[in-house]
Amino acid sequence: MTEILVEIDSEIFPARFEREAAPRTVAAVEAILPYAERIIHVRWSGEACWIPLGERDFGLGYENATSHPAPGQMILYPGGVSETEILLAYGPVAFASKAGPLAGNHFLTITDRLDVLADLGRGTLWTGAKAIRLRRPVA
């Protein structure tokens, strides 16, 4: 079931929330939908893009946390030793910052078109920031 869409540039990816595993994180993200920002390539972690959120406090702790999200998995790092951020893996990732290894809450999984996601991720590395939008499907 597609309950959320991830749009990067003009590409649209169906996704699902990880409601059972990360209910508080899903609720926090749903509260800011529709969400639009720019996504940039990670500096430390591998094949992923991220949205830096600075000091934004979602009031979350860890749930369904991982340091190695799979391609298509989106995680929210609630802050602490590094700034708050959202990370989207498109290939192998070992989530980290200049402070060392991190773990983020896996709250969303893209369910199709991972090959296109990987192309977009690599393109972000070489050409820079891309627009990203999280939104509900139009009924």
Side-chain angles (χ1 to χ4, degrees), residues 38-43 48-52 86 124-125 128-130:
R38 301 204 29 98
I39 196 164
I40 57 178
H41 204 274
V42 298
R43 293 179 275 195
C49 296
W50 69 305
I51 302 167
I86 295 173
T124 302
L125 174 63
K130 297 193 181 317

Side-chain angles (χ1 to χ4, degrees), residues 69-120:
Q73 292 183 346
M74 189 173 279
I75 62 175
L76 187 147
Y77 174 69
V81 297
S82 187
E83 69 182 291
T84 303
E85 66 182 86
I86 295 173
L87 180 138
L88 174 58
Y90 68 83
V93 174
F95 184 36
S97 74
K98 61 185 174 183
L102 300 173
N105 300 344
H106 170 209
F107 70 92
L108 180 148
T109 303
I110 291 176
T111 57
D112 195 17
R113 306 185 71 224
L114 295 180
D115 56 332
V116 176
L117 179 65
D119 289 342
L120 278 170

